[in-house]
Amino acid sequence: MPKVFYTDADGVVRAIDGEVGDTVMELAVRNGVPGIVAECGGACVCATCHVYVRADFGDRLPPMDEQEDDMLDGAAAPRRPESRLSCQLTLTAELDGLSVTTPATQL
Amino acid sequence: MSGILIVGGGQAAVQLAASLREYGVDRPIRLVGAESWQPYQRPPLSKAFLAGRAQPGDLLLRSMDFYHANDIDLVAGERVVDIRLGACGGVAETDSGQRYAFDQLALTTGGGPRRLAVDGARLDGVHYLRDVADALRLRADLPGRESVVVIGGGFVGLEAAATLRAQGLTTTVVEAADRLLARVVAPVVSDFYRSAHQRRGIDVRLGTSVEAITGDRGRVTGVRLADGTTVPADLVLVGIGMVAHTDLATRIGLDCRGGIVVDEYARTGHPSVVAAGDCTATRLPGAGLVRLESVQHATDQARVAAASLAGRLQPYRATPWFWSEQGDLMLQMAGLVTGHDRVVVRAGPDPERFCVLYYRRGRLLAGHAVNRPADYLAVRQALSRGASIPPDLAADLNTPLKQIPTEPVPCT
Ligand SMILES: Cc1cc2nc3c(=O)[nH]c(=O)nc-3n(C[C@H](O)[C@H](O)[C@H](O)COP(=O)(O)OP(=O)(O)OC[C@H]3O[C@@H](n4cnc5c(N)ncnc54)[C@H](O)[C@@H]3O)c2cc1C
């Protein structure tokens, strides 16, 4: 069961156990983690599930496709090199311990 | 317990409850929905869910923890059948005989599928697609079926047709108008979708109305068209639009015109009652009565309605946006095309990637992008800022849309 650490903009950390195959967005929504809105439910069309992924996980993440890359430009909070849309981050065993920070705003 | 009663358990209802808490409202909130499921999202019903790639639990809008943590009393599986309204507040009664008192009321009752009124419409194998129960019924009816006729070339019909075709069914789409998605997109987009679906093996019949659904021993066998031909089918899916649920609103004397009429603050004619989502017809300054059926509209209008109930009015100013996933084709739309007098097409060598921009007197109104998310975003951001993208520059594919300096919109 891969565990994900969500840190909100105030620095509060929540650790949630997920299943392989869940996305980081789904896990957050299912467990009521604040800071992720996910208005479109995972279709990668709204950019309201923006997270900053801790840098050392970068090379274990699934690659970013053009849809995600372009939609990230529309996120409400500033885009940074470690920005991803959490609906595109599907959990694998290798991602156990993944640490993401949610931005101050998604809208 | 008095407090705020939200009738309806969909996208708008959940957002309204969540926003009330965000705005610091600490009065009791009760949400009463007719469906027996916890509130869920509908968009996947014609896409991943229909394809069998998602289960009901995957669709939930929020976890049960969310309702507990926010002290939202969620009542699922009860339909409000009557409301009595006084000068301030009232009482709602459900089909199970429960009574819920309230001092403020929010109607988020959505809508139901428009029913087809032809012979054979009640045969086994004739389906609609609005809620999980419909989708589960349709899914259960798929094994062993070989052909489907989809009646209606709107978003839900086309998405479902693409999903079913990808599962190997012989698929026919029958549309009464002379093009697909006729009410919402320009002809160039309609034509694209016709060819794109044809390329994937869907038989698209335009300008064709349905005379009857034929059957044998209670089960559908085909669809008879106005020209006398019959398309054989062992499944029929009717997707001819939605009818807003306005019966309760009418009963309590609210103005309804294809939807519950609300102003830009989501207020109805009664001071204790707001409404939001698919069930509304919104009077927007300069635009008249607008009816929108989308996740964006349901959530943004719910935020506005919550603000009104919380006593801090904020007008509805959101830029409308919508998406439709038809197989591997992602359509993203921003703005409203109503009243456009010019379209500019940004297209390159790949026929399945383009963007159409809509203008009125040189001012950007809307954009529809197929597999071009960056173009969609540029249009949406320009519209949100109240700016325009000069039409003469927009067609040049070598310049990214977002790099074209936007122009302020002249006052009209
Ligand atoms: C198959 C399908 C695909 C879609 N795809 C997309 C898409 O890709 N993108 C997009 O933006 N939008 C899409 N939509 C539209 C989107 O789902 C709706 O706009 C949205 O669900 C509207 O939310 P709502 O809360 O206003 O209404 P609804 O979601 O319809 O919720 C209303 C709820 O109220 C309940 N209710 C009604 N009357 C009563 C009563 N008297 N008492 C108690 N409860 C009551 C109903 O049972 C229902 O559960 C799709 C819709 C469908 C059906």
Side-chain angles (χ1 to χ4, degrees), chain A residues 29-32 37 39-41 43 45-46 66-67 70-71 73-74 107, chain B residues 41 61 63 295 299 303 321 323 325 330 332 353 373-374 376-377 381 402:
Chain A
V29 170
R30 215 163 56 220
N31 290 282
V37 173
E39 207 135 81
C40 75
V45 293
C46 71
E66 182 194 342
Q67 178 78 26
D70 286 346
M71 288 310 297
D73 285 338
L107 295 169
Chain B
Q41 355 179 9
L61 280 163
S63 66
V295 167
T299 50
R303 292 184 179 105
W321 60 267
W323 81 97
E325 220 177 323
M330 176 63 92
Q332 292 179 269
R353 279 168 62 91
Y376 156 77
L377 205 61
Q381 290 178 333
K402 66 175 175 195

Side-chain angles (χ1 to χ4, degrees), chain B residues 8-9 11-12 34-35 42 47 80 109-110 130 277-278 294-295 322-323:
Chain B
Q11 195 100 37
E35 292 182 72
R42 296 177 199 284
K47 310 168 186 113
V80 173
T109 47
R130 177 70 193 178
D278 281 12
S294 69
V295 167
F322 185 78
W323 81 97

